[in-house]
Amino acid sequence: GFGAEVKRRILLGTYALSAGYYDAYYKKAQRVRTLLRRDFEQAFRECDVIAMPTSPEVAFRFDAKADPLSEYLADVFTVSANLAGIPAISLPCGTAKPAGGGAELPVGLQLLGPPLADALVLRVADAYQRITDHHTRRPPT
């Protein structure tokens, strides 16, 4: 029941954890994850939540067929929350024209919070949506 992209990511993860690659990939990834957690711990000593883009680009058009590399690159800002094990939420925050031109498409805002601060992240997201109308807008079809 998984789509092609999900299957591709499962296979890549399985490959990276296979016998000959455990030390090369998994152990290094664990070290990077520890450093990332430390960076977030330091940042959350100075702020309650972090606001950042969800993606470096506007949303893909609904009918667009993105290549796998474009899909991976679109996820670049969301990966850090998963690796660090911190709560995050993505919200619509406006629209912008794609780099290649065309109709404006949605832009995402990502809010990240300290570990176990899911309720805080949800409260901030709720407050944002209460003072904006971005979540009610629909892109042109």
Side-chain angles (χ1 to χ4, degrees), residues 30 46 93 113:
Q30 291 285 48
E46 300 177 26
C93 69

Side-chain angles (χ1 to χ4, degrees), residues 26-111:
Y26 188 72
K27 283 188 176 180
K28 284 183 184 177
Q30 291 285 48
R31 282 188 233 125
V32 169
R33 185 172 74 175
T34 298
L35 294 173
L36 191 60
R37 282 183 178 169
R38 287 182 191 155
D39 286 348
F40 276 116
E41 286 171 6
Q42 177 63 38
F44 289 124
R45 287 187 195 115
E46 300 177 26
C47 63
D48 295 326
V49 296
I50 297 172
M52 61 187 286
T54 299
S55 175
E57 301 283 335
V58 298
F60 293 116
R61 285 187 46 85
F62 184 72
D63 59 352
K65 296 278 186 188
D67 61 280
L69 181 58
S70 295
E71 290 181 5
Y72 291 137
L73 293 174
D75 292 344
V76 69
F77 295 148
T78 61
V79 173
S80 59
N82 294 320
L83 289 176
I86 60 174
I89 190 169
S90 181
L91 307 159
C93 69
T95 59
K97 289 191 178 204
E104 290 193 350
L105 294 169
V107 176
L109 165 70
Q110 182 179 201
L111 301 173

